[in-house]
Amino acid sequence: MTDPAAAAWHRLAETSVLLDGFHALKHALRFGADVPLAVTTDREAALALATELAPDVRDTLDALLTEVPEDTYRSFVPRPHPTAVAALAVRPAREANLQKLAHTPRSAPVIVLDNPRNLGNAGAVIRLAAGFGATGVVTTGTLDPWHPTVVRAGAGLHYATAVERLTIDELPSGPVFALDPEGDDIRSLKLPDDAVLAFGSERSGLSTELRARTDHLVALPMRPQVSSYNLATSVAMTLYHWSTSTTAPL
């Protein structure tokens, strides 16, 4: 006899976003994700975790979680999570995200990752953007910002900000501040709320196309002979600098 949860999972999986682990599911629910199916190998343990760490979504999880055998759970995920929780969520409509990115006036910047290469880095940036209340995260190039590895690294916080892949020509309006070692020291600048904050590829930096769109090159303070910061670190430093001068609430 086919397990109803397994049948439902396989029916939904190809068109849904995988939320891998308790924390990804918790965050997605907090920010309004539509989650048609969530499973765990141990309902009691998952609900105890919710009681301790996320009582605001505990009742929702109680109604949502289905307990499945461990072998069934492992067949759903590429790499079992220590919390043994997984869920499938509906991806936000692209049109809705584009409207959020295009809406003006903006009260928080848009982050642009120009041709990023590392899935984990992209997820870490989305998590940062959500924490700072950024309007959204845009990627250019071939990396899919909704790849399961990106969603896992982002801890489900794709649902807290607008995440889309666009071309350079499709970027939202607003002054573009691009990070570059030859730019002006960021400490001498005030980043406006409607800024588009652009970060180059981990390998090759800013593309020619993005440089042509840039209004201001900005540099982070760095000790001589240190070649670069990690991408997520650069985004965190830049967003923190923006947050110190903004009046917009997080």
Side-chain angles (χ1 to χ4, degrees):
M1 181 179 296
T2 303
D3 183 336
W9 187 281
H10 293 303
R11 184 179 72 253
L12 295 167
E14 287 197 10
T15 58
S16 300
V17 176
L18 173 63
L19 299 174
D20 198 358
F22 172 83
H23 300 290
L25 175 57
K26 167 194 73 178
H27 283 140
L29 289 173
R30 282 177 172 168
F31 290 97
D34 179 2
V35 180
L37 181 63
V39 300
T40 180
T41 62
D42 189 336
R43 262 181 58 88
E44 184 178 350
L47 292 174
L49 195 60
T51 300
E52 178 184 1
L53 300 178
D56 55 310
V57 298
R58 198 264 183 204
D59 289 347
T60 301
L61 287 171
D62 189 17
L64 183 62
L65 282 169
T66 297
E67 187 167 297
V68 297
E70 184 170 349
D71 287 349
T72 300
Y73 161 73
R74 286 178 173 272
S75 73
F76 293 164
V77 295
R79 182 177 54 168
H81 193 274
T83 59
V85 171
L88 296 174
V90 177
R91 178 169 171 171
R94 177 175 171 85
E95 185 58 35
N97 274 342
L98 293 179
Q99 288 178 4
K100 291 177 185 177
L101 292 167
H103 178 77
T104 56
R106 285 198 300 271
S107 60
V110 171
I111 306 301
V112 175
L113 303 183
D114 186 26
N115 202 25
R117 301 296 186 181
N118 185 283
L119 295 167
N121 279 347
V125 168
I126 291 165
R127 190 170 185 173
L128 279 165
F132 277 97
T135 296
V137 177
V138 169
T139 64
T140 70
T142 58
L143 183 143
D144 176 9
W146 285 86
H147 186 283
T149 301
V150 182
V151 177
R152 180 170 176 142
L157 285 163
H158 284 59
Y159 290 88
T161 189
V163 178
E164 288 295 336
R165 178 167 51 181
L166 303 175
T167 66
I168 298 295
D169 291 340
E170 294 171 327
L171 294 182
S173 62
V176 177
F177 291 77
L179 277 288
D180 185 89
E182 301 305 315
D184 296 325
D185 191 318
I186 195 171
R187 293 170 292 185
S188 68
L189 302 171
K190 179 179 178 179
L191 300 175
D193 293 345
D194 66 345
V196 176
L197 304 176
F199 300 81
S201 166
E202 298 95 330
R203 297 179 185 176
S204 54
L206 298 168
S207 66
T208 301
E209 294 80 8
L210 186 53
R211 282 184 181 276
R213 173 76 186 271
T214 296
D215 298 295
H216 308 277
L217 290 177
V218 180
L220 294 169
M222 189 180 302
R223 182 180 179 181
Q225 297 182 312
V226 175
S227 58
S228 65
Y229 293 120
N230 172 270
L231 176 60
T233 300
S234 297
V235 174
M237 293 172 71
T238 304
L239 283 173
Y240 179 77
H241 178 76
W242 162 74
S243 73
T244 60
S245 60
T246 185
T247 58
L250 294 180

